[in-house]
Amino acid sequence: MIFRTATREDLPAVLALLDDEERVVDPASIVVGEAHERAFRAIEADPRNEVLVLTEPDGRVVGCLQLTYVPGLGRSGRERALVEAVRIRADRRGGGLGAELMRLAVDRARERGCGLVQLTSNKRRGAAHRFYERLGFARSHEGFKLSLEP
Protein backbone atom coordinates (compact mmCIF):
# COMPACT_ATOMS: atom_id res chain seq x y z
CA MET A 1 0.00 0.00 0.00
CA ILE A 2 1.11 3.52 -0.74
CA PHE A 3 0.19 6.43 1.58
CA ARG A 4 0.45 9.85 -0.03
CA THR A 5 -1.09 13.26 -0.48
CA ALA A 6 -4.03 13.20 -2.88
CA THR A 7 -3.69 14.80 -6.29
CA ARG A 8 -6.41 16.29 -8.48
CA GLU A 9 -6.45 13.02 -10.42
CA ASP A 10 -7.52 11.22 -7.21
CA LEU A 11 -10.53 13.47 -6.70
CA PRO A 12 -13.13 11.22 -8.42
CA ALA A 13 -11.94 8.20 -6.40
CA VAL A 14 -12.04 10.17 -3.13
CA LEU A 15 -15.53 11.45 -3.91
CA ALA A 16 -16.61 7.88 -4.74
CA LEU A 17 -15.45 6.77 -1.27
CA LEU A 18 -17.34 9.63 0.35
CA ASP A 19 -20.46 9.03 -1.78
CA ASP A 20 -21.47 5.70 -0.24
CA GLU A 21 -19.54 3.90 2.45
CA GLU A 22 -21.70 0.76 2.20
CA ARG A 23 -20.93 -0.14 -1.43
CA VAL A 24 -18.16 0.31 -3.97
CA VAL A 25 -18.84 3.29 -6.22
CA ASP A 26 -17.09 3.46 -9.58
CA PRO A 27 -15.03 6.67 -9.67
CA ALA A 28 -15.87 6.97 -13.39
CA SER A 29 -19.51 7.52 -12.38
CA ILE A 30 -18.66 10.52 -10.20
CA VAL A 31 -19.36 14.02 -11.47
CA VAL A 32 -16.74 16.37 -10.07
CA GLY A 33 -18.50 19.70 -9.70
CA GLU A 34 -17.06 23.20 -9.55
CA ALA A 35 -17.61 23.27 -5.77
CA HIS A 36 -15.49 20.10 -5.42
CA GLU A 37 -12.79 21.61 -7.63
CA ARG A 38 -12.78 24.82 -5.60
CA ALA A 39 -12.64 22.93 -2.30
CA PHE A 40 -9.82 20.69 -3.49
CA ARG A 41 -7.79 23.67 -4.73
CA ALA A 42 -8.29 25.41 -1.37
CA ILE A 43 -7.16 22.31 0.55
CA GLU A 44 -4.17 21.87 -1.75
CA ALA A 45 -3.12 25.51 -1.27
CA ASP A 46 -3.51 25.52 2.53
CA PRO A 47 -0.49 24.24 4.50
CA ARG A 48 -2.84 23.37 7.38
CA ASN A 49 -4.99 21.02 5.28
CA GLU A 50 -4.35 17.85 3.36
CA VAL A 51 -6.31 15.02 1.82
CA LEU A 52 -4.39 11.78 2.12
CA VAL A 53 -5.00 8.57 0.20
CA LEU A 54 -4.06 4.94 0.59
CA THR A 55 -3.55 3.31 -2.81
CA GLU A 56 -2.81 -0.06 -4.32
CA PRO A 57 0.55 -0.28 -6.13
CA ASP A 58 -1.40 0.20 -9.40
CA GLY A 59 -2.64 3.58 -8.13
CA ARG A 60 -6.20 2.53 -7.30
CA VAL A 61 -7.43 4.53 -4.27
CA VAL A 62 -8.77 2.28 -1.50
CA GLY A 63 -8.83 4.74 1.40
CA CYS A 64 -8.78 8.43 2.24
CA LEU A 65 -9.00 10.96 5.00
CA GLN A 66 -8.56 14.68 5.49
CA LEU A 67 -6.23 16.14 8.10
CA THR A 68 -6.60 19.73 9.25
CA TYR A 69 -4.02 21.20 11.59
CA VAL A 70 -5.65 23.63 14.02
CA PRO A 71 -3.54 26.14 15.94
CA GLY A 72 -4.56 26.69 19.53
CA LEU A 73 -3.45 28.12 22.83
CA GLY A 74 -4.09 24.92 24.78
CA ARG A 75 -1.56 22.10 24.96
CA SER A 76 1.28 24.62 25.27
CA GLY A 77 0.36 26.26 21.97
CA ARG A 78 0.77 23.06 19.96
CA GLU A 79 -1.45 22.37 16.97
CA ARG A 80 -4.11 19.70 17.07
CA ALA A 81 -4.83 17.45 14.10
CA LEU A 82 -8.47 17.12 13.14
CA VAL A 83 -9.27 13.93 11.20
CA GLU A 84 -12.27 14.01 8.87
CA ALA A 85 -13.80 11.93 6.08
CA VAL A 86 -12.10 8.64 6.92
CA ARG A 87 -13.10 5.99 4.39
CA ILE A 88 -11.92 2.58 3.25
CA ARG A 89 -13.50 1.16 0.10
CA ALA A 90 -16.36 -1.17 1.10
CA ASP A 91 -14.84 -4.29 -0.47
CA ARG A 92 -11.50 -3.74 1.31
CA ARG A 93 -12.74 -3.36 4.90
CA GLY A 94 -11.84 -5.79 7.63
CA GLY A 95 -8.26 -6.38 6.53
CA GLY A 96 -6.53 -3.73 8.63
CA LEU A 97 -6.35 -0.97 6.02
CA GLY A 98 -8.36 1.46 8.16
CA ALA A 99 -6.07 0.91 11.14
CA GLU A 100 -3.03 1.39 8.89
CA LEU A 101 -4.48 4.59 7.41
CA MET A 102 -5.20 6.00 10.88
CA ARG A 103 -1.77 4.95 12.18
CA LEU A 104 -0.11 6.77 9.31
CA ALA A 105 -2.25 9.87 9.91
CA VAL A 106 -1.40 9.87 13.63
CA ASP A 107 2.29 9.46 12.81
CA ARG A 108 2.05 12.39 10.41
CA ALA A 109 0.46 14.56 13.12
CA ARG A 110 3.09 13.48 15.65
CA GLU A 111 5.91 14.33 13.20
CA ARG A 112 4.36 17.77 12.71
CA GLY A 113 4.47 18.32 16.48
CA CYS A 114 0.74 18.17 17.16
CA GLY A 115 -0.29 17.69 20.77
CA LEU A 116 -3.57 15.94 20.02
CA VAL A 117 -5.44 14.09 17.28
CA GLN A 118 -9.19 14.45 17.39
CA LEU A 119 -12.16 13.40 15.30
CA THR A 120 -15.91 13.28 15.34
CA SER A 121 -18.07 10.38 14.22
CA ASN A 122 -21.79 10.19 13.62
CA LYS A 123 -23.57 8.68 16.63
CA ARG A 124 -25.20 6.08 14.37
CA ARG A 125 -21.81 4.60 13.37
CA GLY A 126 -21.32 2.14 16.23
CA ALA A 127 -18.81 -0.01 14.35
CA ALA A 128 -16.71 3.08 13.60
CA HIS A 129 -16.76 4.06 17.27
CA ARG A 130 -15.51 0.63 18.30
CA PHE A 131 -12.82 0.88 15.61
CA TYR A 132 -11.57 4.25 16.90
CA GLU A 133 -11.59 3.01 20.49
CA ARG A 134 -9.50 -0.04 19.47
CA LEU A 135 -6.98 2.45 18.07
CA GLY A 136 -6.76 4.24 21.42
CA PHE A 137 -9.16 7.14 20.84
CA ALA A 138 -11.24 8.04 23.91
CA ARG A 139 -14.82 9.33 24.01
CA SER A 140 -13.74 12.39 25.94
CA HIS A 141 -16.17 15.07 24.71
CA GLU A 142 -19.70 15.45 23.45
CA GLY A 143 -19.79 17.12 20.04
CA PHE A 144 -22.33 19.52 18.56
CA LYS A 145 -22.98 20.63 15.00
CA LEU A 146 -25.17 23.33 13.50
CA SER A 147 -26.05 22.82 9.85
CA LEU A 148 -26.08 26.01 7.82
CA GLU A 149 -27.74 24.39 4.80
CA PRO A 150 -31.41 25.11 4.05
Side-chain angles (χ1 to χ4, degrees):
M1 288 291 132
I2 299 164
F3 180 66
R4 62 173 172 75
T5 303
T7 66
R8 166 56 187 87
E9 290 74 31
D10 297 317
L11 190 53
V14 169
L15 294 175
L17 291 172
L18 298 176
D19 185 58
D20 189 337
E21 62 183 293
E22 299 304 319
R23 65 182 179 85
V24 176
V25 175
D26 181 1
S29 71
I30 297 296
V31 175
V32 178
E34 180 52 38
H36 296 120
E37 296 281 3
R38 193 171 39 253
F40 189 80
R41 284 192 307 269
I43 292 166
E44 218 175 18
D46 183 348
R48 293 192 185 279
N49 271 289
E50 53 188 345
V51 175
L52 303 169
V53 292
L54 192 60
T55 69
E56 302 273 12
D58 66 4
R60 199 169 4 157
V61 175
V62 295
C64 69
L65 59 76
Q66 181 174 346
L67 274 178
T68 301
Y69 303 103
V70 182
L73 298 175
R75 299 199 174 260
S76 302
R78 294 168 68 194
E79 289 179 319
R80 63 187 59 216
L82 175 62
V83 180
E84 294 281 335
V86 178
R87 297 289 190 281
I88 296 295
R89 205 173 69 198
D91 64 341
R92 297 302 306 273
R93 288 200 202 115
L97 292 179
E100 180 68 5
L101 180 62
M102 288 298 295
R103 183 190 65 74
L104 292 165
V106 168
D107 287 349
R108 196 169 186 101
R110 187 176 283 116
E111 288 167 8
R112 186 174 167 114
C114 292
L116 176 76
V117 175
Q118 64 186 31
L119 56 85
T120 61
S121 180
N122 190 299
K123 287 186 175 191
R124 296 177 298 214
R125 298 183 71 218
H129 301 168
R130 290 186 296 278
F131 167 74
Y132 293 127
E133 287 173 332
R134 278 195 311 274
L135 297 179
F137 286 81
R139 294 183 194 218
S140 62
H141 292 70
E142 187 75 22
F144 297 89
K145 292 185 179 187
L146 175 64
S147 178
L148 301 179
E149 296 178 6

